[in-house]
Amino acid sequence: MGDPPGRGQAPGSRRAQPSRSGTYRVRSPRLTNMGSGTHKGDLKDKEHTEFTWEVRANDWGYYKQFKKKVCLCWYRDKYKTNVIRTAKYSVLSFLPLNLYEQFRRVSNLYFLFIIILQAMPEISTLPWLTLFAPLVCLLVIRAARDLMDDIGRHRSDKAINNRPCQILTGKRFSWKKWKDLCVGDVVRLSKDSIVPADLLLLASTEPSSLCYVETVDIDGETNLKFRQALPATHEELTSRKKMAAFQGTVFCEEPNSRMHQFVGILEWNSKKYPLDIGNLLLRGCRVRNTDTCYGLVIYAGFDTKIMKNCGKIHLKRTKLDLFMNKLVVLIFLSLVVVSLCLALGFSFKVRDFRAKHYYLWAMHMRSVFTESFLNFWSFLILLSVMVPMAMFIQAEFIHLGNSIFINWDVQMYHEPQDTPAKARSTSLNDQLGQVQYIFSDKTGTLTQNIMTFKKCCIAGRVYGPDNKIETPAKKNPYLWNKFADKKFLYHNEELLGIVRKKQDKMVQEFWRLLAICHTVMVHQSDNQLVYQAASPDEEALVTAARNFGYVFLSRTQDTITVMELGEERVYQVLAMMDFNSVRKRMSVLVRNPEGSIRLYTKGADTVILERLHKRGDMEMTTEEVLFAFAEETLRTLCLAYRKVKEEAYEEWKPHHQQACLLLQNRARALHDVYEQMEQKLQLLGVTAIEDKLQDGVPDTIKCLRRGNIKFWVLTGDKQETAVNIGFACQLLSEKMLILEEKEINRVLETYWERNNNMQTNKGYLKFVSQAKLAMIISGDFLDKLLLSLRKEPRALVQNVVMEEANQDSGQVKRDYLQARRISLMWRSFGTSVASSESNTTKTPNSPEVLRERAFVDLATRCQTVICCRVTPKQKALIVALVKKYQHVVTLAIGDGANDVNMIKTADIGVGLSGQEGMQAVQNSDYALAQFRFLQRLLLVHGRWSYMRVCKFLRYFFYKTVASMMAQIWFSFYNGFTAQPLYEGWFLALFNLLYSTMPVLYIGLFEQDVTAEKSLQMPELYTAGQENKLFNYWVFFQAIAHGTATSLVNFFVTLWVGHDSVGPSSFSDYQSFAVILALSGLLSITLEVILIIRYWTVLCLLTILFSLGSYVIMTYATQSLWLWKMSPKAFPFLYADRNVLAHPSSLLVILLNVSLSTLPVLAFRVIYQALKKPRREPEEEAPPEDIVTVEAAPPLRRGTPSRRSSYAFSHREGYADLITRGTSLRKSARSDSEALSDSTAPSDAEVSLSCRESPCLTRRASGMKRKSHQHPGKPSLEDTQTWSGSSSSVAAEGLGALPSESHSTVSKTSPATTSRSPGSTQENKSLSENQSQLLTSHPLPSGQTVKSQPEPLEGRPPSVQTPIRESWPGVWQKERHPAMEAVAPLPPQTPAPPAEALRPTLEESSLSEQPMEVELGPVERQPSPMEWLPELPPEATSKREPTSSDRGHVFSFSNKPGSP
């Protein structure tokens, strides 16, 4: 989880061009992160990708005409409704679909075939009901289980489809259900609402139509993300009437699963506006901190991105189940061969019989061939009991019982949540004992997504918590601080005393930096400060400073107010240098109330330490502390500051302004300017934050890895964060060789260069790992490998590798050529191997398959694999990749909706009931409350279930063969006539009563070791991974053992009773059958006594029940009154009584049991005595013909001597929102200032405001100070005036800017409503400055004033502030001489300013107002596209921007916070 794995490119860099057919195509960028790895087919697809998805607002009848061909003449609607159905069955499809799934089992087809044969009187040897009734019982049990599971899905679907939402119908919003939503509908969402479909954000009540969303159900992130509407819709759609009249048309890509990419355009009023993912609200998001927002449905139902990522429900079968299918086929073929041999024997016997007894010809009217043919089928029916139906029925009860034991396990009950473990699937228990790969999510699964301030180091001294256990102190140490957060657990009495004494300057600057250098927003709720942070890291740091007396109170776009130990201080923000993944740091340049300038910086130790002014003892001590924090797997940030002289700032300021105004390479220019300022820093200290793991996660992972289970972490988070969690969970260690993408490419490329034609028989590469390996890869890298598994085309616009920003052109060229070389290597590798394989096979593998195999072979040799920035679809593809080439049992565990596809794809899916909703649980096979319970689920319940089922199957085959194989030996003595040996009722009740309970006890209660020893010795788990307990060898052992038992029982009885006569003789048919039946029953009973290891009273009762049931049922079926009722159905009258009345018969039975049991028992004892413990195989030296690639260095993010534990989950773009004022609410106004008839700004004024820079407000706010006093030393009075007048400043991006900069607008400050006596002079000065401004930069002609629209519900109208009435106390400042960087505007005559009344409280709080500002440089963070350096001429050709390109650049297109 974590930050999105990719961001869509800036809209300005992917303009849609209409084709001749009227549809829209996307112009591919010159270089993408995937460009070097794509194939010709992919490039061809991208060149012909069109915008074929058309959405018309408020046009409900338009979509019914579009149909999509499914197959043949079957068409369905192209645009789906918002109804979702995740259930597998419906009322009509349940019976046929469930029967189809059940008869995919070979055993069921076998039983059905035998029942059909039994229904034919000519060949039937057993009544057809004897097999039909058990088969129906088996089908009903399985169908009922599937039905119960599907009923739960139906209930979940019904609850989701019936959620309420507000849909625009006519000219009003009415409450309807989610299932009534259609494409093209306009939806109104309120705070805390869940987004019902993928919506294009049209407007919101936030400034600039921002909308804050929480994507916890999509990517597990609890921190807020922002989306923004187009400026055009934000300005125009201000009322319900205008919403109803909105007739815009959206052209975009077809529905797809790319969660973080979206490309489209909006056509409205003959204009085109580009769209990206920053304008889209995805289904499943939750609206936060936004009163009301409005959206247009783009994708609905199963077309939404989250539903595209959910995947389909797969019919999961265990390895034992699939193996049983093979065994059934094998047994059936064996029975066919045996029946055929017996039929041939019958044919010879009949010929001999007819020759000797010709006078009995009337009994044999049919030909010999016909008689033999019918006898073949009779034998097949008679021997069908070799695949016992009872075994499959009892297996269902065993699965159900083991599932109940999981539900009842109190050791897996989580009391805080009152959540027990739950087995949602009853057929996968034995598979839990064979897991080899676990694919785990990170956030919410391994971690709690809670950041806690753990330790800090200031000036080389470490301050840890006084209380080692994180529990609230008995006495609150922060009672002196009324702003303190009561939930803050960190406390250090010594540090608190130093802070309150105000003597240590380093300590003061440390906490001051944490209170100033951040992008946190604050508001008050119930007289308490509530922080809204872009990441939990920042919230933890600012909260720590808050509790230690440095309280962040408020901010405007150019000030920040901090309460420092009871003293309120206002700092002027001169520049905010935002965090990104390349810089790995954030800086704020401020002017304190005393007038001096400070630069505060926080970031990774790898970038901070190399920018220090000096490296002394304190710095060396801090590095040792960093190493200690890394050992504790804490997330660290280094803090540093710098005193900036006024002269240095004035010298640096023009360069900053020029960099802000650049149209090309602005990102690199800003990066260089920031580098100039962020030098010669003084180290303050280090913060250590703990990303709290769930309880017992490291111990659980360690224990599972001892059980030979490999762990892969699949997350959408950043690499630094994922790696830090990897060390915290002990998945990674310092001794590991950690391979990243470059090393992986080098390994594969080196292997290919030296072994061009070397390949094993399976096609896998041979690698020799001399050390413990781990692998860290990204979603972009995986996207190159999963081509053969993907079923949808590549993204229209690929992600941009921002790390290329700080590379020179030569390095870019080298990387580009190297990427091309790797791509060509892959292709040539595939071609060469395919050609070599074509000599031996007729179906050569494709290059995609070969490179996937090579990658999987390398990855499976790693102990740990961490995949960062992966999408939900990629998670599922990774699982499928391992299943495809390794044929292993996989388990996926997660807790969010983004894990559903992975859970469905894996052989076993485990859902955690956490804070991310219940989507994962509802789609899982097993539900747990905590990750640590996975250890007991696998090592105890999984291993027990596998062992029980394997022992159950082995014993069942043994007892079946031991009893029923005698039927074949009997055929040699009855003329091959297919006459049954045993009494019919003995055959019917043998598997139902006589031998059922002991074997059922084995399947439910057998234990080889206790649960405690199972957890202490996880090495026992490897038996299931290696299929040791039931395989072909074990199966044939059971068959051989059963065959030997049947031979002993049959022939010993035959030889003892040979030629015997008299009352004690048992040479007759019935007496012989009774002795064989009793001998077989006692033999298998004694065998079950020998193999059971877990003896209880219940075990003894089951054995006694089996023997007792034989006595009772035999007495009943051989009674006189039943024989009188039906002599044919009960022919064995008093047979058992007559045989058991003679001691000789009992001795024969005892002899049979002894001869069949004692030799086997002796063999087992001798084998165990002679069995020696296996020695671990010694590692052999690699042969010379196998390449050993030079070991890549382990992952080092710091100096070579230590590992950096830097991790920061901040997202880029929030600093830009603050500096532009986009995210800041406007100050309230009184009701007396209500706008009765608001007038809209003229087009000329809008044009001016659109061309002005958003960062100019910061220059304006400091004019008054410099005009009255020495630079850097303003008076307290001026400071207060300045802070009061600028506290309501908020700049918002509007319109199109040729320079790709955001426009800035302002509002009238409430401080200006009451003028001081000197305000007239100030107004005059302001008017002169404004006159100069308008004269030097006149507005374009031909633009008129438009009236402001009627306000939308919850959103006040935009208000135009008169030019002559804006901010007199701020503008008394001389013009800055550095005007060379200002982009000149075309000379036009300015339109007269429009007079307007002051707005009301409601209207002013969220209005959009232009601001009178002086032209100057723009300070903003660049778009991701701007980080991409220009390619060398060899790589690509340059394209001059056209007029159409310049005319379609919008302010939001460079919004750096867009995902």
Side-chain angles (χ1 to χ4, degrees), residues 280-317:
L280 206 64
L281 299 179
L282 299 182
R283 178 189 175 112
C285 296
R286 189 180 292 271
V287 179
R288 297 293 193 189
N289 297 340
T290 305
D291 294 333
T292 309
C293 65
Y294 302 83
L296 173 67
V297 178
I298 303 297
Y299 306 124
F302 282 105
D303 287 336
T304 57
K305 291 184 178 292
I306 187 62
M307 295 305 297
K308 285 286 185 181
N309 276 275
C310 282
K312 297 180 180 179
I313 299 176
H314 303 279
L315 178 62
K316 296 185 178 182
R317 308 279 296 276

Side-chain angles (χ1 to χ4, degrees), residues 1152-1198:
N1152 289 340
V1153 174
S1154 300
L1155 290 178
S1156 62
T1157 303
L1158 292 178
V1160 177
L1161 180 60
F1163 174 78
R1164 290 173 180 172
V1165 172
I1166 296 173
Y1167 177 78
Q1168 291 294 334
L1170 297 178
K1171 185 179 179 181
K1172 297 181 180 180
R1174 293 183 302 173
R1175 297 179 180 178
E1176 294 294 334
E1178 298 180 358
E1179 295 185 0
E1180 300 179 356
E1184 295 180 357
D1185 59 338
I1186 297 181
V1187 60
T1188 56
V1189 182
E1190 178 184 358
L1195 180 65
R1196 289 289 183 268
R1197 291 175 290 162

Side-chain angles (χ1 to χ4, degrees), residues 191-485:
K191 185 178 179 181
D192 297 330
S193 298
I194 300 177
V195 180
D198 290 350
L199 309 178
L200 172 64
L201 183 60
L202 299 177
S204 78
T205 55
E206 291 296 302
S208 298
S209 281
L210 284 174
C211 181
Y212 296 95
V213 294
E214 183 183 74
T215 57
V216 66
D217 281 343
I218 296 179
D219 55 18
E221 282 291 312
T222 55
N223 51 291
L224 300 183
K225 299 177 178 62
F226 64 88
R227 298 292 183 261
Q228 190 172 14
L230 295 176
T233 59
H234 163 69
E235 296 168 3
E236 297 294 334
L237 302 180
T238 55
S239 64
R240 289 194 301 267
K241 182 179 179 180
K242 291 195 173 184
M243 285 284 185
F246 177 60
Q247 296 295 328
T249 302
V250 175
F251 295 94
C252 60
E253 56 191 358
E254 291 282 330
N256 56 71
S257 63
R258 294 182 288 271
M259 296 289 297
H260 306 285
Q261 294 175 350
F262 175 74
V263 185
I265 59 170
L266 171 64
E267 282 192 1
W268 185 34
N269 295 336
S270 302
K271 294 182 180 179
K272 300 182 181 66
Y273 307 94
L275 304 173
D276 65 359
I277 193 64
N279 310 119
L280 206 64
L281 299 179
L282 299 182
R283 178 189 175 112
C285 296
R286 189 180 292 271
V287 179
R288 297 293 193 189
N289 297 340
T290 305
D291 294 333
T292 309
C293 65
Y294 302 83
L296 173 67
V297 178
I298 303 297
Y299 306 124
F302 282 105
D303 287 336
T304 57
K305 291 184 178 292
I306 187 62
M307 295 305 297
K308 285 286 185 181
N309 276 275
C310 282
K312 297 180 180 179
I313 299 176
H314 303 279
L315 178 62
K316 296 185 178 182
R317 308 279 296 276
T318 65
K319 291 180 69 174
L320 285 178
D321 194 7
L322 298 175
F323 183 63
M324 283 300 301
N325 283 341
K326 299 177 182 179
L327 291 184
V328 169
V329 174
L330 180 62
I331 294 174
F332 176 73
L333 294 178
S334 302
L335 293 181
V336 169
V337 173
V338 172
S339 300
L340 184 61
C341 294
L342 295 177
L344 290 176
F346 173 78
S347 64
F348 291 117
K349 196 74 173 179
V350 167
R351 288 192 184 96
D352 183 66
F353 183 81
R354 286 187 175 185
K356 293 182 179 181
H357 307 280
Y358 58 89
Y359 50 85
L360 297 177
W361 61 269
M363 298 177 59
H364 303 279
M365 300 296 296
R366 301 186 183 92
S367 63
V368 174
F369 176 80
T370 304
E371 290 282 355
S372 300
F373 178 77
L374 295 177
N375 206 50
F376 165 77
W377 294 108
S378 298
F379 271 116
L380 196 61
I381 296 173
L382 186 63
L383 299 178
S384 64
V385 293
M386 300 295 288
V387 185
M389 171 72 69
M391 181 177 67
F392 295 93
I393 297 177
Q394 291 183 33
E396 293 298 323
F397 286 104
I398 290 174
H399 290 312
L400 178 62
N402 287 319
S403 300
I404 294 175
F405 294 153
I406 293 176
N407 299 341
W408 287 354
D409 192 345
V410 294
Q411 300 294 329
M412 295 194 296
Y413 170 73
H414 192 232
E415 187 174 358
Q417 296 181 358
D418 190 24
T419 305
K422 184 178 181 181
R424 295 172 51 85
S425 175
T426 60
S427 60
L428 302 176
N429 300 321
D430 57 281
Q431 189 113 304
L432 288 172
Q434 298 180 280
V435 174
Q436 292 175 262
Y437 284 83
I438 292 180
F439 299 89
S440 174
D441 180 35
K442 183 186 74 68
T443 306
T445 303
L446 301 177
T447 68
Q448 302 180 31
N449 201 25
I450 298 176
M451 305 296 176
T452 58
F453 191 89
K454 195 72 173 180
K455 294 182 180 180
C456 64
C457 173
I458 305 176
R461 185 171 182 180
V462 179
Y463 298 93
D466 290 340
N467 49 341
K468 300 300 181 182
I469 303 177
E470 291 186 356
T471 55
K474 296 181 180 179
K475 183 179 179 181
N476 188 358
Y478 303 107
L479 290 176
W480 58 274
N481 184 359
K482 65 177 182 179
F483 296 102
D485 188 348

Side-chain angles (χ1 to χ4, degrees), residues 857-960:
D857 186 66
L858 177 60
T860 52
R861 295 176 186 269
C862 299
Q863 291 189 346
T864 300
V865 177
I866 297 179
C867 304
C868 313
R869 293 181 173 271
V870 289
T871 62
K873 188 66 172 291
Q874 284 177 325
K875 290 183 179 183
L877 292 176
I878 293 169
V879 177
L881 189 71
V882 175
K883 290 175 60 178
K884 179 180 179 181
Y885 295 111
Q886 293 299 309
H887 307 289
V888 293
V889 178
T890 58
L891 182 146
I893 181 170
D895 66 329
N898 58 330
D899 304 315
V900 169
N901 202 351
M902 173 179 69
I903 288 173
K904 290 181 178 179
T905 305
D907 296 305
I908 300 173
V910 179
L912 295 185
S913 53
Q915 60 181 354
E916 299 183 25
M918 299 296 290
Q919 288 85 349
V921 170
Q922 291 169 356
N923 292 275
S924 65
D925 304 307
Y926 298 89
L928 301 176
Q930 292 284 295
F931 179 85
R932 69 177 187 271
F933 298 149
L934 184 65
Q935 176 182 358
R936 187 173 180 86
L937 180 68
L938 297 183
L939 301 184
V940 178
H941 292 281
R943 201 184 68 82
W944 277 353
S945 296
Y946 172 72
M947 180 269 300
R948 289 165 179 169
V949 172
C950 290
K951 187 174 284 191
F952 161 80
L953 292 175
R954 185 194 184 284
Y955 176 75
F956 217 107
F957 279 117
Y958 159 74
K959 77 181 185 68
T960 302

Side-chain angles (χ1 to χ4, degrees), residues 1330-1341:
Q1330 292 171 343
S1331 178
Q1332 295 174 8
L1333 175 65
L1334 294 176
T1335 304
S1336 59
H1337 303 288
L1339 302 175
S1341 60

Side-chain angles (χ1 to χ4, degrees), residues 1257-1288:
T1257 56
R1258 186 154 49 249
R1259 294 188 57 196
S1261 63
M1263 288 181 176
K1264 178 183 177 183
R1265 176 181 314 168
K1266 291 190 176 183
S1267 64
H1268 287 290
Q1269 55 190 349
H1270 188 274
K1273 297 182 179 180
S1275 65
L1276 179 60
E1277 179 183 358
D1278 290 339
T1279 302
Q1280 294 172 348
T1281 304
W1282 165 79
S1283 63
S1285 61
S1286 60
S1287 61
S1288 62

